[in-house]
Amino acid sequence: MDILSPQNPRVKEWAQLLEKKHRDKQQKYIIEGIHLVQEALRFEADLECVAFDVERGIPVELSSMTDTVSVEWIGVSAAVIAKCTDAKTPQPVFAVVRKQPAGMGNLLQKKDSLVIVLDGVQDPGNVGTIIRTADAAGADGVIVGRGSADIYNPKTIRSTMGSMFHLPVVEGELLELLPQAKESGVRVISTSLQATSTCYGYDFTGPSWLLVGNEAKGVSPEAQKLVDDSLIIPMKGQAESLNVAMASTVMLFEAMRQRDFS
């Protein structure tokens, strides 16, 4: 059944998902655009429904996926899409996804795990980019500590480019999770401008959890106490430092190089 009126009760419920408090309450979030919907369907995210622009029809890239069991496909008007999405350029499709929170269990059991841990990274673009980079570098998961941007924020989701469906992204309290990891043999590694060892001289082949901090203040003093090794990313040019997403990329790809290309 098509839904054309932005005043429809379901539309109002979907539109609320643009706000974190309603995402938390409903335990759902919205993804926008063909690529994200495609990745969600391909990696079997828990989709409640896919809403597509009724004038344009189901996008051709998704037409072979319409028989996915238990996903409702709904034709909607452009006005409904505009009300329920955040992107500046209207997308021809969006989907409502039920949250499936990932747990720590598998990451703790994984031998020689490579995980990136975010402590108060507040920019949604940075959080999304780090998730995408972790996916690209073959990391086992991402842990997002409290005080970081919401992983279900539309900007975060767009920046992940679908990677949030490819690997576990765990939200939690770092001061509880990191000690558990250390007990299972993980080394917690952080970057510091004061460090004497470089990321290129460090051995990332064992269980390595990379801790990165807030854009302005870095890693919190409480989390810093749990760090085993501090490393510096050497820089030849005049730049003072790298932003948190770039620093994460350098570390993750150095770990990947050592593990897979040495």
Side-chain angles (χ1 to χ4, degrees), residues 116 133 137 191 199-200 204 210 232-235 242-257:
I116 187 142
T133 303
T191 57
C199 61
Y200 301 123
F204 285 105
L210 313 174
I232 190 164
I233 297 173
M235 293 185 284
L242 295 175
N243 101 344
V244 64
M246 293 166 85
S248 303
T249 302
V250 172
M251 303 273 280
L252 284 162
F253 273 80
E254 174 57 19
M256 180 185 79
R257 186 193 67 78

Side-chain angles (χ1 to χ4, degrees), residues 5 21 59-60 69 73 85 91 94 100 102 122 156 166 179 210 235-236 262:
S5 166
K21 65 176 180 189
V60 65
V69 193
W73 291 74
T85 57
Q91 301 286 343
F94 69 87
Q100 293 170 293
Q122 289 178 332
T156 310
H166 304 167
L210 313 174
M235 293 185 284
K236 280 182 74 174
S262 58

Side-chain angles (χ1 to χ4, degrees), residues 98-190:
R98 298 181 189 96
K99 289 186 184 182
Q100 293 170 293
M104 273 280 284
N106 292 346
L107 294 182
L108 290 173
Q109 285 151 21
K110 183 100 183 166
K111 190 179 181 296
D112 297 331
S113 59
L114 175 63
V115 173
I116 187 142
V117 183
L118 280 58
D119 178 22
V121 178
Q122 289 178 332
D123 181 86
N126 282 337
V127 172
T129 300
I130 292 169
I131 293 170
R132 184 179 175 186
T133 303
D135 178 22
D140 297 298
V142 180
I143 294 175
V144 182
R146 294 192 207 296
S148 296
D150 180 22
I151 59 173
Y152 303 107
N153 175 311
K155 290 186 180 69
T156 310
I157 293 172
R158 278 201 297 277
S159 300
T160 72
M161 290 293 287
S163 287
M164 63 183 294
F165 302 121
H166 304 167
L167 78 172
V169 181
V170 180
E171 292 181 292
E173 183 52 72
L174 298 188
L175 302 183
E176 289 165 21
L177 301 181
L178 289 178
Q180 285 176 39
K182 285 163 71 88
E183 273 168 35
S184 69
V186 163
R187 291 197 73 77
V188 176
I189 303 147
S190 181

Side-chain angles (χ1 to χ4, degrees), residues 24-43:
D24 291 346
K25 190 176 165 188
Q26 292 187 39
Q27 285 297 296
K28 294 174 196 168
Y29 60 99
I30 277 184
I31 56 174
E32 307 169 26
I34 294 168
H35 177 70
L36 281 169
V37 173
Q38 207 172 22
E39 290 302 284
L41 286 163
R42 195 179 282 155
F43 286 84

